Amino acid sequence: MTSLTLHDVPFEPIAREARLFVCTTPAGFPSPAQDDMEEPIDLGAWLIDHPAASYIMRVSGHSMTGAGINDGDLVVVSRSAEPRSGDIVVAMVHGDRTMKRLRRRGERLWLVPEAEGYDAIQVDEHVEVWGVVVALARRYRA
Amino acid sequence: MTAIGLIDCNNFYVSCERAFDSSLIGVPVVVASNNDGCAIARSNEAKALGVRMGDPIHLIRDRLDRHGVVVRSSNYTLYGDMQRRILSAIDDFASEVEIYSIDESFLDLTPFGDRDLVAHANGMRTQVRRWTTIPTCVGIGPTKTLAKLANAAAKKNPIFDGVADLRDDAIRRFVLDRFPVGDVWGVGRATASKLAGLGIATAGQLRDMQMRQARGLGTVVLERLVAELRGVAASAVDVVEPQRKGMAVTRSFGSPVGDLETLMGAVAQFAMRAGEKLRSHGLVAGQLTVFFHTNQHKRDRPQHHGSRRLTLHPMTDDSLELLAAARRGVEAAWRDGFAYTKAGVMLDDLVAAEQRPRTLFEGDVERRARLMTALDEVNGRFGRFTAVPGTQGFRWGWTARAESRSPAWTTRLADVPVVAAG
C-alpha cells in the first residue's frame, strides 16, 4: 500500500493576465490553477489536422472489418495526403464511392478488401482514388 | 512590377454539386436560385443547350425535361463551406487575397513576380482541385481590370489552358483586340452602346481612347477603366470591404402567408439577421424599411404592397431595437385578406458605430452592446436563431422552397457522404 503525504507548498501569487477566466474574488487567494489553464481537449482537431482538405464520410458495409473499420463508422478522408500503397483509401469506381486498401502488386495497383467474400479491384481508367482515410471515429453508446 | 491575379471557379455551384454526387458528372446541370426561381449556375452541357443565366425555371421547365437537365436547388451551406476550403488552398500562393464574390478572388502575386507566374498559377489550381475537386481559371495582369479580362480569356480560349498572363505586351494586345468591349468589367450595356456609336467595339479600342473623351462620354469610371486597360492601376488590391450604403435581408416564402403572426415571425427573423450583419461590419443604421407584398406576377389575384420606413433614433445596431421598429412597421402596413409571398427588412443610412452621433438619454448602451455580443456568440456557436427574443406569436410556418436541394455534405454529420465497404 502506498502512503500519501501532504506537504505545505510555498506559494507566491504572481500578477498575470488570465486567458480564459477573470477571477473576481474580492479577497483571498487567486486560484492556483489559473495560470495553468489550457483549452479543453479537442478530439475533432486531433482527428482532422487539415480541415480545408478533409471530408467526413460514413461507412456502409463490412468489407473492411479486417482493418477494424465497421459498418456505421465515421472516417476522415484527406485529399491533401498523397495516397501510398498500404493506405486505406476512398475511391470512385465507375462513379461509385468505395473504401478499400490500396496495394501495389507487381506493376499494378489494386483496391483490396479486408474481409472474406469480397473481391479486389484493379486500378484502371475507371477508378479514381478520391482521398486517403486518415482517421476513424466510433461511438459505442449514442 | 505589380502582378494581380484573379482566380475564378468554373461553374462554381455546379462544380460543388458534382463534388459529392458523381451522377451529375457529364450530364447537363442547372442550379436554381432561392425558392427555385431562376437559373443561377449552369454546367457546360446546360450552356450548350441554350440555358441562360437568370432564365426562370418554370418557363423553361419543358425544355429542361426534354433534354434531361438536372435542376438542383441552391445549397449555400455547401457552397460557403467549399469557398472556405478554396480560400485556404490559395492562401500559400498569394501575399494578399481580396474576396470578390463567392467564387472569385483577386490575388496580389507581386512578390512571386520573378517566377514563372503561369506555373505558379497552375500550382495553385492544382492545389484547389486536389483539396476540393473544384476546377478554376486564373487571369493575371498589371491591374485588376486586366486580371479580370485575362480570366475571361483563360476561360473562353483553350489556347491558354486555364491561365492567361497579360503582363506580356504582345499577348495583351492579342487578347484586347479580340475582346468585346461590352464584356469588359465595369462596362454596362448603356456605356457599350455609346461606345459602339463611336466605333469602339473591342477592349483594345477602348484602351486607345482619348482620356478626355472617356471622361466626357462616361464617367470617372470609364476614364479609370481606360487607365487600367493601359496597365495603370486605379485600384490596388483592396482587402477592406468598402463601407456599405445599405443592406437588406429579404426572402420569398415557400407558401403564401396570410396571417399577421406568421409574417411577424418571418420579419422578426429578418430584423435579427440584419442586426447581426450590421454588427459584423461595425455599423449602425439610421433608417429601417420593412415591406411585404403579394405575388406581383399573378395579376388576377388581389394585390397589396405594404411598406413602412422608420427612423431609428438614436442610430443603432441593436437587434431588439430593429425588431421593435420592424414590428411597428408591419402592424401599421398590415392588411388582412391577401396572400403575401415576399417580405424583407432593409437598413439605410449606415455609419461606422464609432462615428454614431450621440444623443441625450440613451439609456445603458454598454449593457445592450454586451447583450448583442452574447446573442451573436450563442447564435454563432449553436446555429443561427438558437437565441431569439420571445416574440409573441412566433410561428415558423414559412421556409424557402427548395425542392431538390442536395445534403449539407460537408457541414452536417447526418448528411455526410456514405462510402461503401462492399
mmCIF file of all heavy atoms in Angstrom, chain B residues 23 30 36 54 57 113 234 253 282-283 351 412 417:
data_model
loop_
_atom_site.group_PDB
_atom_site.id
_atom_site.type_symbol
_atom_site.label_atom_id
_atom_site.label_comp_id
_atom_site.label_asym_id
_atom_site.label_seq_id
_atom_site.Cartn_x
_atom_site.Cartn_y
_atom_site.Cartn_z
ATOM 1 N N SER B 23 -23.293 11.258 -60.053
ATOM 2 C CA SER B 23 -24.306 11.071 -61.094
ATOM 3 C C SER B 23 -24.513 12.360 -61.891
ATOM 4 O O SER B 23 -25.133 12.355 -62.945
ATOM 5 C CB SER B 23 -25.638 10.626 -60.478
ATOM 6 O OG SER B 23 -26.266 11.711 -59.822
ATOM 7 N N VAL B 30 -28.359 22.391 -63.876
ATOM 8 C CA VAL B 30 -28.660 23.795 -63.612
ATOM 9 C C VAL B 30 -28.907 23.940 -62.118
ATOM 10 O O VAL B 30 -29.559 23.089 -61.514
ATOM 11 C CB VAL B 30 -29.914 24.248 -64.399
ATOM 12 C CG1 VAL B 30 -30.421 25.589 -63.897
ATOM 13 C CG2 VAL B 30 -29.604 24.327 -65.890
ATOM 14 N N ASP B 36 -36.196 28.203 -55.888
ATOM 15 C CA ASP B 36 -36.242 27.528 -57.177
ATOM 16 C C ASP B 36 -36.712 28.433 -58.303
ATOM 17 O O ASP B 36 -37.407 28.002 -59.224
ATOM 18 C CB ASP B 36 -37.122 26.268 -57.097
ATOM 19 C CG ASP B 36 -36.519 25.226 -56.181
ATOM 20 O OD1 ASP B 36 -35.353 25.422 -55.770
ATOM 21 O OD2 ASP B 36 -37.195 24.241 -55.868
ATOM 22 N N GLY B 54 -30.225 33.395 -65.328
ATOM 23 C CA GLY B 54 -31.433 34.145 -64.980
ATOM 24 C C GLY B 54 -32.704 33.616 -65.607
ATOM 25 O O GLY B 54 -33.784 34.123 -65.320
ATOM 26 N N ILE B 57 -36.992 29.131 -64.125
ATOM 27 C CA ILE B 57 -37.072 27.680 -64.291
ATOM 28 C C ILE B 57 -38.448 27.249 -64.785
ATOM 29 O O ILE B 57 -38.576 26.395 -65.667
ATOM 30 C CB ILE B 57 -36.741 26.967 -62.951
ATOM 31 C CG1 ILE B 57 -35.327 27.315 -62.493
ATOM 32 C CG2 ILE B 57 -36.923 25.468 -63.076
ATOM 33 C CD1 ILE B 57 -34.212 26.802 -63.343
ATOM 34 N N GLY B 113 6.466 37.629 -58.600
ATOM 35 C CA GLY B 113 6.584 38.088 -59.982
ATOM 36 C C GLY B 113 7.866 37.689 -60.681
ATOM 37 O O GLY B 113 7.921 37.656 -61.898
ATOM 38 N N ALA B 234 -5.742 51.764 -61.105
ATOM 39 C CA ALA B 234 -6.601 52.756 -60.487
ATOM 40 C C ALA B 234 -7.150 52.224 -59.166
ATOM 41 O O ALA B 234 -7.737 52.940 -58.388
ATOM 42 C CB ALA B 234 -7.749 53.111 -61.426
ATOM 43 N N PHE B 253 -41.422 33.540 -49.707
ATOM 44 C CA PHE B 253 -41.944 32.462 -48.884
ATOM 45 C C PHE B 253 -42.221 31.227 -49.728
ATOM 46 O O PHE B 253 -42.657 31.346 -50.860
ATOM 47 C CB PHE B 253 -43.240 32.896 -48.201
ATOM 48 C CG PHE B 253 -43.074 34.103 -47.323
ATOM 49 C CD1 PHE B 253 -43.984 35.120 -47.336
ATOM 50 C CD2 PHE B 253 -41.987 34.200 -46.464
ATOM 51 C CE1 PHE B 253 -43.836 36.231 -46.521
ATOM 52 C CE2 PHE B 253 -41.823 35.303 -45.651
ATOM 53 C CZ PHE B 253 -42.746 36.324 -45.675
ATOM 54 N N GLY B 282 -19.546 46.364 -38.013
ATOM 55 C CA GLY B 282 -19.279 47.503 -37.135
ATOM 56 C C GLY B 282 -20.044 48.757 -37.522
ATOM 57 O O GLY B 282 -19.519 49.863 -37.441
ATOM 58 N N LEU B 283 -21.278 48.579 -37.978
ATOM 59 C CA LEU B 283 -22.069 49.708 -38.455
ATOM 60 C C LEU B 283 -23.312 49.900 -37.588
ATOM 61 O O LEU B 283 -23.755 48.978 -36.898
ATOM 62 C CB LEU B 283 -22.516 49.465 -39.902
ATOM 63 C CG LEU B 283 -21.410 49.305 -40.947
ATOM 64 C CD1 LEU B 283 -22.001 48.852 -42.264
ATOM 65 C CD2 LEU B 283 -20.641 50.595 -41.122
ATOM 66 N N VAL B 351 -23.624 54.155 -40.781
ATOM 67 C CA VAL B 351 -22.312 54.747 -40.485
ATOM 68 C C VAL B 351 -21.568 53.816 -39.531
ATOM 69 O O VAL B 351 -22.175 52.965 -38.885
ATOM 70 C CB VAL B 351 -22.415 56.156 -39.842
ATOM 71 C CG1 VAL B 351 -23.136 57.127 -40.755
ATOM 72 C CG2 VAL B 351 -23.098 56.088 -38.493
ATOM 73 N N ARG B 412 -22.706 18.876 -41.983
ATOM 74 C CA ARG B 412 -23.697 18.306 -41.071
ATOM 75 C C ARG B 412 -23.449 16.798 -40.954
ATOM 76 O O ARG B 412 -23.453 16.097 -41.960
ATOM 77 C CB ARG B 412 -25.101 18.572 -41.620
ATOM 78 C CG ARG B 412 -26.157 18.617 -40.546
ATOM 79 C CD ARG B 412 -27.489 19.064 -41.108
ATOM 80 N NE ARG B 412 -27.476 20.430 -41.616
ATOM 81 C CZ ARG B 412 -28.332 20.894 -42.529
ATOM 82 N NH1 ARG B 412 -29.241 20.100 -43.043
ATOM 83 N NH2 ARG B 412 -28.260 22.146 -42.921
ATOM 84 N N PRO B 417 -21.323 12.193 -46.825
ATOM 85 C CA PRO B 417 -21.430 11.167 -47.865
ATOM 86 C C PRO B 417 -21.196 9.773 -47.281
ATOM 87 O O PRO B 417 -20.439 9.611 -46.335
ATOM 88 C CB PRO B 417 -20.305 11.520 -48.839
ATOM 89 C CG PRO B 417 -19.890 12.900 -48.525
ATOM 90 C CD PRO B 417 -20.233 13.147 -47.090
#
